[in-house]
Amino acid sequence: MSATISPKVFDFLKKLTTNNNREWFNENKSLYTDSQENIVAFLEDLLTEMSEFDEELGKIDAKKSLFRIYRDTRFSKDKIPYKTNFGASLGMGKGSQKGGYYLHMEPGKSFIAGGIYMPESSVLKELRKEISLYGEDFLKILNNKDFKKHFPELDQDDKLKKIPQGFEKEDPMGEYLKLKNFIVVYYLKDEEILDKNAVKNLTKIFKLMKPLNDFLNAPFL
């Protein structure tokens, strides 16, 4: 049977939210390490399950995919030392030119995502070219019944007001060319994360993202 996320993980995050300081964290370090070990075991099973539809995921180290809980406060006004969530990059990363997957666990704010997040300018330009040239293929993915049910639209954050330079103003894919991220997000209830069948249930949703990732990765193969 697949590993499950213990309620103790969310209990730890809730306590950390109200005690976000080094003294409390150091005194309760075992709560963190227990949670971390639980999540790594869960990710190992999740990656194994997901590798059935995306073999590249079988090469990912579960422990390395988990982001550090320690915040980088060097250039931030917010000096709170710890994140109040656990996040894992399953092939997705800031500035990456490769479509991947992401898991975010936080009480009341959990979600999974897929696609390419904050691509570098050269990557972004290639993605826009691909969408402009192969708009019908792109729309076929987005309008797939199961896909659209789970992901009504692509992320709209920081969307441009005008079609970027280098593309026709009347380009039928114009609204998509304005995007800076090409990701989809599916929000989860706490009980969905804690469910005994979470590995299989999340894998089914992640699998729906695969055609989008394949399309986004095509220019870089």
Side-chain angles (χ1 to χ4, degrees), residues 85-98:
N85 66 77
F86 284 107
S89 172
L90 311 177
M92 182 197 287
K94 181 179 177 181
S96 173
Q97 68 176 39
K98 190 174 186 303

Side-chain angles (χ1 to χ4, degrees), residues 50-62:
M50 290 174 67
S51 68
E52 292 295 318
F53 69 81
D54 189 337
E55 62 182 21
E56 288 296 309
L57 297 174
K59 304 173 185 177
I60 294 176
D61 183 316

